[in-house]
């Protein structure tokens, strides 16, 4: 019974926790992305770069001005996509042009690809990241089977928060097309050529946005409602098949204003990422507690998009889960009480087309959409190709832990009351029992 009592006290003291052991955010505090995967300490030189495995997720940290190197071994046929996200603490100091810069290098120093994500004038700390690629194209550099290196550099202003930023990294492999299959031609698409019309019909449903792509809420065509606290970024994922086009409107509602003069440039933001976590596009808008709206309309999904000159089109090169991140600036908390209601108007249009003739199954890279992906998109978290539990599961574990602690404490109380009422003769009989082999007083070590 002593073990039961100790367990009860430990459970009560621990409080709610995520399934991975990370403590849950305190009530009213912004929920944050907790980096997942095995710890992988990036090296200071390419010679010492630790090896990454395809499909695995890793975590590390990076200091201001630091560059970290990670090793990636590639064959001569697969396309590769390596992503990195930096996770500064909500409310931390960030300045214009702070951010991370990703470069994929070949063994002989060729720059295969480079991408960067920086904070703008909004200076609001939030998760920032994207992906770089080695696309097999026949006559480009970086085509051979060899050792490659992912470089991640943190740019930082001298007045910015000097604390290390957590990193989450991964890379995936896209198999080649079967021999003789044409990749097709890049369509002539301009996503900004016309202003899309938001979806207005249908009954709104509730969604519970996750704190990362891994815990993103799965949603589909329809109207979805959620609430986002200042300092939070909430993720939602939409299944988009070959030939289909996704349009997402994020309507930020009026909120309970505590200061009529409150105003934040870049107060709200909507960002879109592709299935390999590459940034497609993002937009922001000022916020003063009055309603405002942002939208992203992606190009129709096509394998041939990878040859497009427009990066927002090139990134929409495979079917799969597309991630949409909604952010409310931390400074909004200075003039708004509580969370900002957000309505997502999501429409996936177009008839699904046949999957390109891949030489092998591309699902390991998160490429492709199944009928179950669409039917099960109900506003809660669904595990992705990288594995791991979703937001709903984590919330359940947290409350279950708290509930278990409460039950154990109650059990301890019942046992204590019973012990006080037990006749003294019970103790006498117990003490008169002969000693049993293997039992006795604790030994001194």
């Amino acid at each position: 019974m002593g073990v039961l009592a100790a367990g009860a006290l430990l459970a009560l003291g621990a409080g709610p926790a995520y399934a991975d052991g990370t403590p849950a955010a305190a009530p009213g505090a912004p929920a944050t992305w907790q980096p997942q995967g095995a710890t992988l300490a990036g090296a200071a030189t390419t010679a010492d770069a630790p090896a990454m495995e395809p499909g695995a997720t890793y975590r590390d940290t990076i200091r201001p001005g630091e560059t970290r190197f990670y090793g990636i071994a590639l064959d001569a046929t697969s396309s590769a996509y390596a992503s990195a996200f930096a996770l500064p603490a909500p409310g931390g100091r960030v300045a214009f042009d702070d951010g991370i810069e990703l470069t994929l290098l070949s063994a002989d120093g060729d720059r295969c690809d480079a991408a960067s994500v920086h904070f703008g004038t909004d200076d609001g700390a939030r998760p920032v990241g994207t992906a770089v690629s080695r696309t097999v194209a026949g006559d480009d550099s970086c085509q051979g089977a060899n050792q490659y290196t992912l470089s991640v550099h943190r740019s930082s202003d001298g007045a910015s928060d000097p604390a290390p930023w957590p990193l989450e990294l991964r890379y995936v492999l896209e198999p080649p097309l079967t021999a003789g299959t044409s990749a097709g031609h890049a369509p002539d698409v301009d996503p900004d050529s016309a202003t899309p019309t938001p979806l207005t019909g249908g009954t709104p449903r509730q969604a519970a946005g996750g704190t990362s792509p891994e815990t993103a809420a799965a949603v589909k065509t329809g109207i979805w409602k959620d609430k986002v606290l200042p300092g939070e970024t909430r993720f939602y994922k939409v299944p988009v098949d070959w030939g289909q086009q996704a349009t997402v409107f994020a309507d930020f509602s009026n909120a309970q204003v505590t200061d009529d003069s409150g105003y934040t440039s870049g107060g709200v933001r909507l960002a879109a990422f592709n299935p390999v976590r590459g940034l497609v596009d993002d937009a922001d808008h000022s916020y003063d507690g009055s309603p405002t709206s942002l939208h992203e309309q992606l190009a129709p999904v096509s394998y041939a998009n990878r040859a497009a000159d427009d990066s927002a089109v090139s990134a929409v090169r495979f079917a799969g889960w597309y991630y949409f991140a909604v952010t409310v600036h931390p400074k909004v908390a200075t003039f708004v009480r509580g969370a900002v209601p957000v309505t997502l108007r999501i429409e996936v249009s177009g008839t699904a087309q046949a999957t390109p003739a891949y030489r092998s199954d591309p699902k390991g890279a998160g490429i492709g959409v199944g009928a179950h992906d669409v039917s099960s998109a109900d506003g809660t978290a669904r595990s992705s190709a990288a594995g791991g539990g979703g937001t709903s599961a984590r919330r359940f574990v947290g409350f279950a832990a708290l509930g278990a602690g409460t039950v154990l404490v109650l059990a301890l109380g019942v046992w204590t009351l019973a012990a006080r009422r037990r006749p003294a003769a019970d103790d006498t009989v117990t003490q008169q029992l002969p000693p049993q082999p293997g039992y006795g007083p604790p030994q001194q070590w």
Side-chain angles (χ1 to χ4, degrees):
M1 188 56 68
V3 173
L4 177 62
L9 293 174
L10 286 172
L12 184 62
Y18 291 145
D20 61 6
T22 303
T32 58
W33 179 341
Q34 302 296 329
Q36 301 299 302
T39 300
L40 187 69
T45 66
T46 57
D48 298 322
M52 298 175 65
E53 295 295 328
T57 303
Y58 300 94
R59 55 183 170 177
D60 197 5
T61 59
I62 189 166
R63 295 183 178 277
E66 189 175 29
T67 301
R68 308 282 267 172
F69 294 98
Y70 309 87
I72 298 177
L74 299 180
D75 59 30
T77 60
S78 302
S79 294
Y81 303 91
S83 65
F85 273 79
L87 313 173
R93 298 190 310 277
V94 294
F96 178 81
D97 220 27
D98 284 3
I100 57 171
E101 299 157 5
L102 280 60
T103 307
L104 188 62
L105 301 167
S106 69
D108 57 6
D110 284 343
R111 179 178 291 195
C112 308
D113 193 19
S116 61
V117 186
H118 297 101
F119 292 102
T121 56
D122 63 286
D123 69 3
R126 64 182 185 278
V128 289
T130 187
V132 288
S133 65
R134 190 290 294 269
T135 304
V136 175
D139 56 357
D140 291 345
S141 61
C142 304
Q143 298 296 293
N146 209 328
Q147 182 69 30
Y148 293 77
T149 306
L150 171 64
S151 164
V152 181
H153 174 75
R154 175 180 169 184
S155 58
S156 182
D157 184 89
S160 299
D161 190 345
W165 285 353
L167 289 176
E168 185 171 299
L169 312 104
R170 66 195 301 265
Y171 90 92
V172 296
L173 296 176
E174 178 190 25
L177 299 179
T178 56
T181 301
S182 172
H185 299 284
D188 185 13
V189 176
D190 180 3
D192 299 321
S193 61
T195 302
T197 301
L199 181 70
T200 57
T203 302
R205 301 174 62 184
Q206 193 66 37
T211 56
S212 69
E214 185 57 34
T215 61
V219 292
K220 55 188 173 184
T221 295
I223 301 174
W224 303 85
K225 290 183 175 294
D226 202 356
K227 293 183 177 181
V228 181
L229 284 167
E232 276 188 340
T233 295
R234 290 289 182 176
F235 286 82
Y236 309 85
K237 61 182 182 180
V238 180
V240 189
D241 214 335
W242 299 100
Q244 293 186 325
Q245 183 175 29
T247 302
V248 175
F249 278 78
D251 296 342
F252 297 85
S253 172
N254 61 303
Q256 188 175 359
V257 175
T258 58
D259 181 358
D260 292 337
S261 64
Y263 172 89
T264 300
S265 174
V268 292
R269 178 179 295 271
L270 175 64
F273 300 88
N274 66 17
V276 298
R277 301 190 180 187
L279 178 65
V280 179
D281 194 21
D282 67 347
D284 64 25
H285 199 280
S286 60
Y287 188 70
D288 62 2
S290 301
T292 191
S293 183
L294 293 167
H295 73 271
E296 290 290 346
Q297 183 174 56
L298 307 187
V301 174
S302 172
Y303 186 93
N305 281 348
R306 63 194 62 208
D309 293 330
D310 188 335
S311 60
V313 176
S314 175
V316 189
R317 62 178 65 181
F318 10 60
W321 292 107
Y322 279 78
Y323 302 92
F324 294 86
V326 174
T327 301
V328 175
H329 197 290
K331 290 183 180 177
V332 171
T334 62
F335 59 89
V336 164
R337 179 177 291 115
V340 176
V342 179
T343 300
L344 297 174
R345 302 180 186 276
I346 297 171
E347 185 171 12
V348 179
S349 58
T351 302
Q353 299 176 359
T355 301
Y358 282 106
R359 189 181 301 177
S360 59
D361 193 346
K363 289 182 180 178
I367 298 172
V369 172
H372 180 70
D373 294 333
V374 179
S375 63
S376 63
D378 60 0
T380 60
R382 300 288 174 185
S383 61
S384 64
T391 303
S392 297
R394 293 178 179 219
R395 288 174 180 169
F396 173 79
V397 170
F399 286 113
L402 182 59
T406 303
V407 170
L408 289 172
V409 170
L410 290 175
L412 175 62
V414 172
W415 173 80
T416 302
L417 181 61
R420 289 176 177 175
R421 293 182 176 179
R422 185 179 302 149
D426 287 351
D427 295 332
T428 303
V429 172
T430 301
Q431 292 169 1
Q432 291 175 350
L433 289 175
Q436 300 297 313
Y439 293 84
Q443 301 297 312
Q444 300 297 322
W445 298 94

